[in-house]
Amino acid sequence: MSQAGDEPPAEPAPILPRPATGGDGAGVDVGDVDPGEMPADEPPGQEQAAEPGDTEAGPNGEAEPDLEGPRRRERRERAERRAAQARATAIEQARREAKRRVQGPVVEAPKPLGKRAVRGLKLLTWLIVAAVVSVGLGLILYFTPAMSVRSEVITGISAVTREEVIGAAKVALGTPLLQVNTDQVADRVAGIRRVASARVQREYPSTLRITIVERIPIVVKDYPDGPHLFDRDGVDFATAPPPPGLPYIDVDNPGPNDAPTRAALEVMTALRPEVVAQVSRVAAPSVASVTLTLTDGRTVVWGTTDRTEEKAEKLAALLTQPGKVYDVSSPDLPTVK
């Protein structure tokens, strides 16, 4: 019998592999393994060879290699799957790259235009065509005699002759209408002394119309070279015999810039037509002392040009009364002497 304490040591329990649990089991899940712990790729179907440190003591104290456990198998299989997937991805990318090099760059098909864009392009095209046609037609009309001046129509002339207007206009027949500068022609025609204003118009296909407004004499003044006619603006526009009944103006320096002349003409243009016909002379020594002399010798004291319209109305009523001097210088208190 053996003595106490000399009993042989108990044999260690064998280490059994713990089965991997799935689902809700308490085992280690596949996703719980750190990728850094995964072993290098191993050939499929072969067990991992035992390494020098992977030995455990056997029942007799001899070192025995440890067999591949479930966890290592799981890690190895995951690594193999990932490596296979990476190789397949690399092969597919290489295949696509080779195909692109052979076929050239892939050009995406343009997107079809919408209806609104198509309508806008059509409108823009028509506008461009219309602009080109207009420019071409304008060039044809400007540089060719297709629409040239073949006749000149002059209206509004009385004392001015047609020859004077045509000579001042200086537009040769056969000139394309578009080359005629109407403003310049109007200025040349308005330079005629008897012409107050002129208007020039093109009438296609071949007519140039010139409309003038002649100056109308309002008063006349005697000069050594003959009577000079003045219009309502005080312009001396003609030296000629005055029309019958035209009143004379008595100022020192008649002209459009002379204040007494403007005052006298303002009074003459404010009078009623029946009163103007009775005036034989208008005198304006100053702007504040305008007087009228009638054909029958009566005198009208007008005074200043203030309230001219009112004075003209009062004078027309006063002249129906007998008298020799009619004073409307104060229209509130007109008097007859």
Side-chain angles (χ1 to χ4, degrees):
M1 294 180 61
S2 298
Q3 294 180 1
D6 296 331
E7 295 177 358
E11 295 182 0
I15 300 175
L16 299 177
R18 185 173 55 182
T21 59
D24 298 331
V28 179
D29 192 11
V30 175
D32 296 335
V33 179
D34 189 356
E37 298 178 359
M38 292 188 299
D41 294 343
E42 297 176 359
Q46 294 183 2
E47 295 183 354
Q48 185 174 4
E51 296 181 357
D54 295 337
T55 59
E56 292 184 0
N60 298 323
E62 298 180 356
E64 295 182 359
D66 188 16
L67 299 178
E68 182 181 28
R71 287 192 224 175
R72 286 189 177 181
R73 187 180 301 111
E74 291 287 342
R75 290 197 295 269
R76 179 176 53 77
E77 290 177 355
R78 284 198 301 271
E80 291 173 356
R81 286 196 298 270
R82 291 176 182 174
Q85 184 177 2
R87 286 194 297 271
T89 302
I91 293 172
E92 180 65 19
Q93 290 179 351
R95 185 185 65 81
R96 292 181 180 177
E97 183 65 25
K99 185 177 180 181
R100 280 197 297 268
R101 286 197 297 267
V102 173
Q103 295 180 351
V106 178
V107 180
E108 296 183 358
K111 296 181 179 179
L113 296 175
K115 293 183 178 180
R116 184 175 299 178
V118 172
R119 286 197 298 267
L121 289 176
K122 288 183 179 179
L123 178 60
L124 179 61
T125 302
W126 280 111
L127 290 176
I128 294 174
V129 171
V132 172
V133 172
S134 300
V135 172
L137 182 59
L139 293 175
I140 292 174
L141 296 179
Y142 188 85
F143 291 105
T144 66
M147 291 186 180
S148 59
V149 179
R150 295 186 178 87
S151 62
E152 295 175 330
V153 177
I154 301 172
T155 59
I157 58 176
S158 176
V160 181
T161 63
R162 176 182 173 85
E163 288 70 21
E164 286 181 287
V165 176
I166 293 177
K170 298 179 181 179
V171 178
L173 295 179
T175 303
L177 281 174
L178 289 178
Q179 294 186 19
V180 177
N181 191 320
T182 56
D183 293 336
Q184 292 182 0
V185 175
D187 291 341
R188 290 196 293 266
V189 174
I192 300 174
R193 289 182 62 188
R194 285 184 174 270
V195 175
S197 63
R199 181 184 180 188
V200 180
Q201 298 170 286
R202 304 183 189 93
E203 292 185 353
Y204 296 98
S206 59
T207 301
L208 190 68
R209 178 178 292 274
I210 302 175
T211 304
I212 68 172
V213 177
E214 292 185 348
R215 298 185 184 276
I216 300 174
I218 299 296
V219 294
V220 60
K221 183 176 177 62
D222 285 329
Y223 281 90
D225 60 344
H228 287 217
L229 306 180
F230 293 83
D231 66 356
R232 61 185 302 156
D233 296 324
V235 176
D236 180 2
F237 66 89
T239 302
L246 190 68
Y248 283 78
I249 186 171
D250 187 5
V251 294
D252 294 336
N253 299 301
N257 298 322
D258 182 62
T261 301
R262 292 198 302 268
L265 294 174
E266 182 179 350
V267 172
M268 291 299 300
T269 54
L271 295 175
R272 300 288 181 83
E274 62 272 16
V275 177
V276 173
Q278 303 178 51
V279 178
S280 63
R281 184 176 295 272
V282 56
S286 66
V287 295
S289 58
V290 179
T291 59
L292 304 176
T293 302
L294 304 184
T295 55
D296 56 6
R298 292 181 293 177
T299 302
V300 177
V301 179
W302 192 275
T304 66
T305 55
D306 296 337
R307 304 169 66 180
T308 299
E309 296 294 335
E310 189 176 352
K311 290 179 181 181
E313 292 181 3
K314 297 293 179 66
L315 179 60
L318 287 179
L319 291 179
T320 60
Q321 302 177 17
K324 290 190 176 182
V325 178
Y326 299 83
D327 191 345
V328 292
S329 58
S330 177
D332 295 329
L333 296 172
T335 60
V336 179
K337 298 179 182 179

